[in-house]
Amino acid sequence: MSLHRPKPALPSDDTRWKLVNATMRRNGYADHALIETLHSIQNAFGYLDETALRFVAAALDVPLSKVFGVATFYHLFRLKPKGRHTCVVCTGTACYIKGAGVLVDALRAHHQVEPGETTADGALSVLTARCVGACGLAPAAVVDGEVVGKLAPEALLARLDRLDAAPAPPGLPASSRPRAPA
Ligand code: FES
């Protein structure tokens, strides 16, 4: 981690990389800046892709395996872009008994998306949770931060279709909103 080691070129001329670079420079390109740098990238771009991880490894002179290890160990880091909308299907016991699996199947069939993934058009991220605290409303899901319960698959799909026509609701974190491509 010599300060005189040549630094890799920025991955692109996207000005957000200058912010990332400033984080590393402020820390003297020391390897202890790894987590802060990854935070900086995620704040700027919304997620960490392979190009970003390789760049950080080269810039901080940290083994790529360590960068991947840190990026995948901490749940707050995401390696894929988040969709404009998020649907968390509860698969806890109460919801499972009441048909959570049918909801997941409907999302899979209608949106071609698996839990933990985002649709190809970036519109919808689907996640699952063990219990969202609304067992009395089972089967439940959280759509863009709002709990919806007693869901039939058709109702869930219709609700998601309506979201496509509307902007993300106010109050959502900036990371939930559409981003320019990295
Ligand atoms: S099990 Fe689904 S809300 Fe509790």
Side-chain angles (χ1 to χ4, degrees):
M1 68 186 160
S2 162
L3 293 179
H4 304 296
R5 183 173 44 81
K7 299 295 177 287
L10 300 182
S12 75
D13 58 7
D14 189 316
T15 54
R16 289 174 291 182
W17 284 115
K18 293 182 179 169
L19 298 175
V20 173
N21 208 34
T23 299
M24 294 190 289
R25 188 169 53 240
R26 189 172 61 248
N27 286 283
Y29 294 94
D31 54 4
H32 65 67
L34 175 57
I35 290 179
E36 186 178 345
T37 304
L38 294 179
H39 267 298
S40 155
I41 295 171
Q42 182 155 293
N43 284 341
F45 294 96
Y47 68 106
L48 310 169
D49 67 6
E50 184 176 339
T51 298
L53 298 182
R54 289 184 181 280
F55 170 66
V56 171
L60 299 182
D61 197 18
V62 172
L64 185 60
S65 58
K66 179 174 179 181
V67 177
F68 268 94
V70 169
T72 54
F73 179 78
Y74 292 102
H75 292 290
L76 53 92
F77 290 130
R78 55 174 59 247
L79 303 181
K80 294 178 181 174
K82 185 178 177 183
R84 293 190 294 280
H85 301 287
T86 304
C87 176
V88 182
V89 178
C90 179
T91 54
T93 303
C95 289
Y96 184 79
I97 290 170
K98 296 271 188 155
V102 179
L103 299 179
V104 172
D105 287 345
L107 292 169
R108 186 180 286 124
H110 192 79
H111 288 284
Q112 290 79 49
V113 63
E114 297 288 333
E117 301 282 338
T118 297
T119 52
D121 63 0
L124 178 68
S125 291
V126 172
L127 302 164
T128 55
R130 286 188 170 274
C131 178
V132 298
C135 306
L137 297 176
V142 182
V143 178
D144 278 354
E146 183 181 348
V147 176
V148 284
K150 299 191 182 298
L151 274 171
E154 300 77 17
L156 176 59
L157 294 177
R159 189 180 187 97
L160 295 175
D161 284 347
R162 288 197 298 275
L163 288 178
D164 276 346
L172 282 180
S175 59
S176 315
R177 297 175 178 281
R179 288 178 178 277

